[in-house]
Amino acid sequence: IELEYHARCPVCRRNDMVQAITVIQRENTALSEAFAPPEKPVEANVPRELEKSEVVGGEQRNTNIVFVIIALLWLGALCNIPKYEHSTLSIFAILGGLGLLTWAYIKWHKYYASKIDNKYEHIAISRERDREETVKENERLIARWKSRMNIWKRLYYCRRDDCVFLPGEDACCSPQDIERYIEEIMTKSEPDEQ
C-alpha cells in the first residue's frame, strides 16, 4: 500500500514536500509571486447597436433648412407683387408655388429617405458583423482563460525538487515556466475535447 499516492512529484515520487500552488500563492511570499494565476484577458469593447439618427445626423436638418429658406424666399417674392394686380392671380401664384415646393419637398424627402435607409442598412450590417466577431473573440479569450485557470488551480509544487506539476502527468516544469507548462497541457488536451 502506498500512502503517498495523491499529488506525487513526478521526479522524487513523493508528496511529503508537495503543496498545492493555490495554497502557496495565498501565503504572500517571494515564492507565491512566481505562482500568480493566469492573467484575465481584457475583453475588447463590443460596438453598440447603431441608431438611425446617427446615420441621418445633421444631413436631414440641412435639407429641411434649405427647403424652409426656399419657401421663405418664395413668400417674400410674392409679397412684392404690386397691390393693383388681381388678387386671384396672387392667390394662385402663392398656392401654386407652395404646392410645387411641397411636392418637391416630398419627392426629395422620399429620395433622401431611401438613400438614408440604404446607408443605414449597409452600416448596420457592418456594425452587427463587427459586434458578432468581437463577442465571439471575447468568448474565445474568456474560455481559454478559464481553461488555463482550471489547470492552474490543479497544479502542485514540490519543494524538494523545485518543480511544478499536474498530478497524473509525467512532465513537470520549473516555477518560471508555468505559463509554458499550462500551454503544453492545454495543447495536449485539445484533441480530446473535439
Side-chain angles (χ1 to χ4, degrees):
I1 298 175
E2 285 192 41
L3 296 175
E4 295 183 358
Y5 181 73
H6 180 71
R8 286 191 317 178
C9 171
V11 177
C12 65
R13 301 280 183 217
R14 312 248 344 244
N15 72 358
D16 61 329
M17 298 289 286
V18 169
Q19 200 171 12
I21 280 188
T22 54
V23 174
I24 296 171
Q25 208 272 328
R26 280 184 257 144
E27 289 175 353
N28 232 1
T29 63
L31 186 59
S32 67
E33 291 175 17
F35 299 137
E39 212 173 292
K40 186 174 182 177
V42 177
E43 296 181 48
N45 289 333
V46 178
R48 60 183 175 71
E49 290 186 30
L50 184 68
E51 294 185 22
K52 204 168 196 174
S53 62
E54 293 177 71
V55 176
V56 175
E59 297 173 22
Q60 180 67 41
R61 284 189 299 274
N62 292 344
T63 56
N64 288 343
I65 289 171
V66 167
F67 276 104
V68 168
I69 290 171
I70 291 172
L72 291 174
L73 289 174
W74 178 259
L75 287 173
L78 290 177
C79 288
N80 289 332
I81 294 177
K83 300 228 186 252
Y84 57 85
E85 292 286 329
H86 295 100
S87 61
T88 52
L89 178 62
S90 299
I91 290 172
F92 282 126
I94 291 171
L95 292 178
L98 288 176
L100 184 62
L101 193 60
T102 304
W103 176 81
Y105 178 77
I106 290 170
K107 287 293 187 183
W108 171 254
H109 193 32
K110 283 183 181 178
Y111 164 76
Y112 188 75
S114 69
K115 187 176 168 185
I116 290 295
D117 285 345
N118 291 340
K119 185 176 178 183
Y120 171 75
E121 186 176 323
H122 175 72
I123 294 172
I125 289 171
S126 175
R127 176 84 60 99
E128 186 59 31
R129 185 174 43 247
D130 290 347
R131 282 176 53 81
E132 289 172 2
E133 289 172 4
T134 304
V135 167
K136 284 179 185 175
E137 181 62 18
N138 285 345
E139 288 172 352
R140 188 190 69 75
L141 287 173
I142 294 299
R144 187 153 180 81
W145 173 75
K146 285 180 179 178
S147 296
R148 293 170 62 81
M149 281 299 294
N150 188 27
I151 293 169
W152 179 83
K153 288 176 183 176
R154 296 182 293 145
L155 292 177
Y156 285 83
Y157 173 69
C158 178
R159 292 181 189 273
R160 179 181 293 116
D161 298 308
D162 190 35
C163 68
V164 176
F165 65 94
L166 183 66
E169 295 285 328
D170 291 330
C172 62
C173 73
S174 67
Q176 295 80 19
D177 292 333
I178 289 179
E179 290 293 320
R180 181 190 51 78
Y181 184 64
I182 290 173
E183 283 298 321
E184 287 176 5
I185 293 171
M186 285 180 63
T187 304
K188 199 174 3 174
S189 67
E190 281 176 357
D192 296 338
E193 293 175 3
Q194 293 175 351

